[in-house]
Amino acid sequence: MRKGKPQIIFSLIFGTFSKLFAYLLLLIFANFYSKEELGAALFIISIFHLTLNISSLGMPFIYVSWLIRKKDIYSIFSFLLILNIIIFLAALAFSASHPWIFPLALILPLVYLFNIGISILNSKYQYHISKFLSSLIVLFCILFAFLLRNLERLGIIASYALSYIIVTSIILYITRKKLFNILSNLTLNLTSLTEYLKKSIFVSLL
């Protein structure tokens, strides 16, 4: 129990910082971007997050429990990887007529890997690290939103994308051994997939 106490404390601290960073980010948006540009960018980001609910179905909650119980995570990873490739190609096609959203389309596969990495960390009870990295995304977003303020809506989208690229790179390095293990054992078992989808869809609807 004592071993887990520092992790819980740090998780709470980083969670608090993340909320403060999010508030600061909103202040930067409000002061450096017009209402029209901000509204357009936030609308697309909302659509992006709705898409993530599909592309990262069951993450981190169901996927973490499967990692801990050593269930068939390989089939789930394979299925979601295929799903992410399809969504990624669709997003690229859509961004052809809306070039300013291209950075978000580009990071869709990266965000999937980010969620996989977070799930791996949480399965090892390293919640403090996952909370810290999530806070880091918001912090980088603040920095890039300020630096790219002259790019208007593209500046908002690009700051969001760049933040994910940097933090996902860190997560991939931290979790590289487990990720390599998953990538080395790709398979597609329909029984496992059906079980996972039933649980993850139910959780997503709650």
Side-chain angles (χ1 to χ4, degrees):
M1 187 69 178
R2 289 180 181 177
K3 186 179 178 180
K5 281 185 178 180
Q7 296 180 354
I8 294 172
I9 293 170
F10 279 119
S11 294
L12 291 173
I13 292 172
F14 292 137
T16 302
F17 273 117
S18 184
K19 291 177 182 178
L20 292 173
F21 291 155
Y23 179 71
L24 182 58
L25 180 61
L26 288 176
L27 287 178
I28 289 177
F29 284 159
N31 285 281
F32 292 101
Y33 295 88
S34 68
K35 291 181 180 179
E36 293 77 13
E37 298 297 321
L38 180 58
L42 292 182
F43 174 75
I44 291 299
I45 290 174
S46 297
I47 298 298
F48 178 77
H49 280 290
L50 287 174
T51 304
L52 292 181
N53 287 336
I54 301 172
S55 64
S56 298
L57 195 63
M59 292 185 188
F61 307 108
I62 306 300
Y63 202 80
V64 167
S65 68
W66 277 48
L67 279 165
I68 293 173
R69 295 161 63 187
K70 302 186 184 304
K71 301 189 74 171
D72 182 16
I73 57 169
Y74 310 108
S75 293
I76 311 309
F77 182 91
S78 300
F79 170 76
L80 291 177
L81 181 61
I82 294 169
L83 181 61
N84 270 269
I85 291 172
I86 294 171
I87 294 174
F88 171 63
L89 293 174
L92 281 182
F94 182 75
S95 67
S97 56
H98 301 81
W100 63 278
I101 71 167
F102 175 75
L104 280 187
L106 191 64
I107 65 167
L108 271 169
L110 277 180
V111 178
Y112 169 60
L113 293 176
F114 170 85
N115 288 326
I116 289 288
I118 289 294
S119 298
I120 292 172
L121 290 172
N122 287 347
S123 71
K124 296 178 179 180
Y125 305 102
Q126 296 177 331
Y127 303 110
H128 57 304
I129 298 178
S130 63
K131 284 283 187 181
F132 169 73
L133 292 170
S134 296
S135 301
L136 208 55
I137 288 179
V138 187
L139 185 59
F140 276 121
C141 200
I142 290 171
L143 174 64
F144 289 122
F146 177 75
L147 294 176
L148 303 175
R149 60 191 182 280
N150 294 327
L151 296 180
E152 300 180 329
R153 67 180 69 178
L154 176 59
I156 298 173
I157 298 299
S159 64
Y160 198 81
L162 288 170
S163 302
Y164 261 106
I165 290 171
I166 293 172
V167 177
T168 300
S169 299
I170 297 172
I171 288 183
L172 291 179
Y173 179 77
I174 294 173
T175 60
R176 63 192 182 281
K177 290 183 179 178
K178 184 61 179 180
L179 280 171
F180 181 76
N181 172 260
I182 294 173
L183 289 169
S184 301
N185 294 279
L186 294 181
T187 185
L188 200 58
N189 184 294
L190 292 180
T191 303
S192 298
L193 186 57
T194 301
E195 180 187 353
Y196 180 85
L197 288 177
K198 284 180 180 178
K199 293 180 179 179
S200 57
I201 290 173
F202 176 74
V203 170
S204 298
L205 293 174
L206 292 178

